[in-house]
Amino acid sequence: MNQRLMLLDTASLYFRAFYGVPDSIRRSDGTPVNAVRGLLDMIARLTADYGATHLIACWDDDWRPQWRVDLLPTYKAHRVAETVEDAPDVETVPDPLEAQIPMIRRTLELAGVAVVGAPGYEADDVIGTYAGGADLPVDAVTGDRDLFQVIDDGRDVRVIYTARGMKNLEVLTEASIVARYRVLPQQYADYATLRGDSSDGLPGVAGIGEKTAASLLGEYGTLDALLAAAKDRSSSLSSPMRSKLAAAADYLEVAPDVVRVARDLQLPGVEEAGAQLQPITGDERAELEQLSTRWNLGGSVQRLLASFDRYA
């Protein structure tokens, strides 16, 4: 079997599972288990369909890092449920999903799935670091467009994009991003900075939408080069565009560092993290099978066990 590393944007997936599987599926005590079931089914299917041999569930140790908020206070501000001093803010998460997160962690642990996060960073940053440093092909599974910036055909790094649902997964490569946005993956962070992204609280530059952002990056290559042209009176950049960029100067000074995923976190190596997939055996298999009944996980556990059995 050819080796391939799969990186899960775990929160993106369990949120999708929560909203995609009926919450009428519950344990005997009434606790919903739809997100647990859905995530296990996703993992079973994704690893089988895309030939993963290694798997890391990348975790949001901090879903809204303070250093990003310090640079751009609007960053994910609309998703804050409670501000906490000297600790990560509390994200707006439905209570029925919040109750399932410990169950998700336990089932992943029993399945031998590596779970990796980094203090002060998001799962995107963990994915960016592994995708940039892995010595084997990579599939990043996410519904987050920010991760388009990690796509790299030369290193065989793809994104399995879940935004249209598990029945309509898209395998995105450099050609896919160019066709969709008219920018290269390595330009995507600059593109998102210019056009903005309301889902992350990025205001963008007033008067610059998707087409204009793509056109500017097509001509100048990078945001830095565009801003240099804006300061160069001899450049061909129009006066109205210079004015728009000047008006957004404070935002443009900080936003690129907010949007770019980290590539240099100190993380355990792929093998050190225990990412290689293998059959679930012994006490862990027995406990998973018990939880299948006790937590009403239905056939999801059996499908996961069967999927991992193929690594024997």
Side-chain angles (χ1 to χ4, degrees), residues 17-307:
F18 176 74
Y19 288 108
V21 178
D23 64 3
S24 57
I25 302 172
R26 298 171 179 261
R27 297 188 327 197
S28 59
D29 65 0
T31 304
V33 292
N34 54 330
V36 187
R37 277 197 184 195
L39 181 63
L40 296 181
D41 280 335
M42 288 177 181
I43 292 173
R45 176 185 165 186
L46 287 163
T47 53
D49 287 359
Y50 296 100
T53 56
H54 296 71
L55 177 69
I56 298 176
C58 302
W59 205 263
D60 284 321
D61 274 15
D62 191 338
W63 71 277
R64 187 176 183 247
Q66 187 61 46
W67 64 269
R68 282 190 165 111
V69 177
D70 290 343
L71 291 171
L72 190 67
T74 60
Y75 182 65
K76 294 186 178 179
H78 59 297
R79 290 161 53 182
V80 175
E82 180 184 351
T83 301
V84 181
E85 189 173 352
D86 299 325
D89 292 335
V90 178
E91 184 179 12
T92 301
V93 178
D95 289 344
L97 173 56
E98 187 75 40
Q100 297 182 65
I101 294 175
M103 289 188 280
I104 288 170
R105 288 295 298 249
R106 182 56 179 158
T107 54
L108 293 177
E109 178 186 5
L110 291 171
V113 174
V115 177
V116 179
Y121 288 91
E122 303 172 54
D124 286 7
D125 302 305
V126 177
I127 290 172
T129 297
Y130 277 122
D135 58 0
L136 63 165
V138 173
D139 284 332
V141 184
T142 184
D144 187 347
R145 292 180 296 181
D146 286 342
L147 282 168
F148 292 168
Q149 62 191 279
V150 308
I151 293 171
D152 185 341
D153 285 3
R155 300 188 61 255
D156 198 4
V157 177
R158 313 181 299 186
V159 161
I160 309 300
Y161 193 45
T162 64
R164 296 175 58 217
M166 291 300 292
K167 292 182 179 179
N168 297 287
L169 295 174
E170 299 175 85
V171 180
L172 302 182
T173 62
E174 289 184 8
S176 309
I177 301 306
V178 171
R180 187 174 301 203
Y181 300 105
R182 296 191 299 133
V183 296
L184 293 165
Q186 57 264 36
Q187 296 174 305
Y188 190 83
D190 288 347
Y191 170 79
T193 297
L194 286 167
R195 69 109 203 263
D197 189 339
S198 60
S199 67
D200 280 340
L202 300 175
V205 177
I208 295 182
E210 294 187 355
K211 290 183 179 180
T212 302
S215 177
L216 289 169
L217 291 171
E219 182 173 356
Y220 294 98
T222 67
L223 178 58
D224 285 344
L226 171 62
L227 295 177
K231 295 176 182 178
D232 181 0
R233 294 185 178 182
S234 67
S235 76
S236 60
L237 194 66
S238 69
S239 294
M241 186 56 64
R242 292 173 195 267
S243 297
K244 291 173 183 176
L245 294 171
D250 290 345
Y251 163 76
L252 290 172
E253 184 176 353
V254 298
D257 289 333
V258 175
V259 177
R260 292 191 194 106
V261 300
R263 305 294 184 105
D264 58 355
L265 301 185
Q266 297 299 308
L267 301 175
V270 172
E271 298 300 337
E272 182 186 356
Q276 185 164 355
L277 288 167
Q278 52 192 336
I280 305 165
T281 59
D283 292 344
E284 288 77 12
R285 189 181 187 104
E287 185 171 344
L288 264 180
E289 290 176 331
Q290 290 170 7
L291 290 181
S292 178
T293 300
R294 207 164 79 229
W295 287 355
N296 188 29
L297 299 180
S300 298
V301 165
Q302 292 305 318
R303 285 187 285 273
L304 185 72
L305 292 171
S307 179

